[in-house]
Amino acid sequence: MGGQRAQVIDERDSQTEARRKVPDGPPPELVFKRRLRPAQVARELWGARELVRALAERDLRARYKQAVLGFAWAVLTPLALCAIFTLVFHRAVKIETGGAPYTLFAYVGLIVWQFFSNTMNQGALSLANNLSLLNKVYCPREVFPLATMLVASVDMLIGIGVLGLLFLVFWTAPAATFLWALPLLLIQFAFTYGVALIMSVAVVYLRDVRHLLPIITQMGVFATPVAYPLAKIPVRLQEIYVGINPLGAVIEGYRRALLYGDTPDLGLTLIAAVSSLVFLVGGYLFFKKLETGIADVA
């Protein structure tokens, strides 16, 4: 009897000891990586800034090295689209611009859309095109879509320079409210980077996305108020629309601040800001959730 009791006590002690050895969860460093800590994310991206710059320089050289006109394509592409929009939407459809020259009106929207479109088309392929590099060198993998956004930013800066020339051509000047462009720029960057993170990892897992994305971006230019004002969308649907596509409020805000001397619609801008933050945070979490399997599916 005494021997059986001692055996039960020994089994109970061994089970207790086993429970002590089994961890309650993953190591703290793994748990840390799964949580969203903006300060830590910012420090990692800042630490990889030289890599981001090197990737952006490589992509810029690869894009324009064999082109006869080089960086001029960054100007000619939006200008060609602007000329088409002027002929189709302004001459044929008679789009109302509130007194602003239609070329300026359309070009402001095209700069924003070209930035988004270039980041999407290149950012979606950024992981797939650099699989050999990211499997050899440790770095935050989100730097690859970030580098493509930096390349698109260079094109956008060139486009802004052309916009300054268009202001001179039409003998007008940006309104004094142009400083509203700064918060709008943050919203634009947050939304674009969030979507780029989602698309970049989606292409790795589902290669059909790379063929589908150019079609979506080409259709998106007509689904976004680039060639027409946001007022063309029914008022009762504008808040929903901006929540889905924050670029609508961003483009309209740029026009009001630069062309009309007015402040952006604060209600729509706030919705766009919240929506962009959701896309950014959601895109980052989606990216981190799937990045561990990139090497397996590559």
Side-chain angles (χ1 to χ4, degrees), residues 146-198:
L146 182 62
T148 62
M149 195 169 77
L150 184 59
V151 173
S153 299
V154 173
D155 292 339
M156 189 175 73
L157 282 175
I158 297 173
I160 292 174
V162 176
L163 179 64
L165 294 177
L166 288 177
F167 273 110
L168 290 176
V169 169
F170 289 97
W171 202 246
T172 183
T177 52
F178 71 94
L179 289 178
W180 277 102
L182 297 178
L184 294 171
L185 191 64
L186 292 177
I187 297 172
Q188 177 186 341
F189 278 12
F191 173 67
T192 303
Y193 188 46
V195 178
L197 285 172
I198 296 172

Side-chain angles (χ1 to χ4, degrees), residues 47-249:
R49 61 189 181 281
E50 289 300 321
L51 176 60
V52 174
R53 182 183 61 79
L55 290 171
E57 288 182 355
R58 184 200 62 180
D59 291 346
L60 276 172
R61 282 196 298 268
R63 181 189 297 182
Y64 297 114
K65 185 177 180 180
Q66 301 298 330
V68 176
L69 297 180
F71 283 93
W73 285 112
V75 176
L76 294 176
T77 302
L79 283 180
L81 287 173
C82 190
I84 294 172
F85 283 179
T86 301
L87 291 174
V88 175
F89 289 96
H90 185 53
R91 301 288 183 184
V93 186
K94 303 293 184 184
I95 293 292
E96 175 58 42
T97 64
Y102 183 81
T103 302
L104 279 174
F105 177 89
Y107 194 76
V108 169
L110 277 170
I111 291 176
V112 178
W113 181 255
Q114 283 294 110
F115 171 79
F116 179 80
S117 176
N118 290 341
T119 304
M120 286 304 100
N121 289 327
Q122 300 302 319
L125 303 177
S126 59
L127 291 179
N129 289 342
N130 291 284
L131 286 175
S132 58
L133 177 62
L134 62 86
N135 285 332
K136 294 178 181 177
V137 180
Y138 171 75
C139 63
R141 290 171 176 174
E142 53 268 32
V143 301
F144 293 97
L146 182 62
T148 62
M149 195 169 77
L150 184 59
V151 173
S153 299
V154 173
D155 292 339
M156 189 175 73
L157 282 175
I158 297 173
I160 292 174
V162 176
L163 179 64
L165 294 177
L166 288 177
F167 273 110
L168 290 176
V169 169
F170 289 97
W171 202 246
T172 183
T177 52
F178 71 94
L179 289 178
W180 277 102
L182 297 178
L184 294 171
L185 191 64
L186 292 177
I187 297 172
Q188 177 186 341
F189 278 12
F191 173 67
T192 303
Y193 188 46
V195 178
L197 285 172
I198 296 172
M199 291 296 108
S200 64
V201 76
V203 165
V204 175
Y205 283 87
L206 190 60
R207 298 303 173 92
D208 290 345
V209 176
R210 74 165 62 197
H211 303 290
L212 183 63
L213 194 59
I215 300 174
I216 294 176
T217 53
Q218 288 178 13
M219 294 175 62
V221 71
F222 298 107
T224 303
V226 174
Y228 53 86
L230 184 63
K232 287 292 183 182
I233 296 173
V235 176
R236 68 180 186 282
L237 299 177
Q238 285 185 5
E239 293 182 353
I240 298 174
Y241 174 81
V242 168
I244 298 172
N245 182 6
L247 292 182

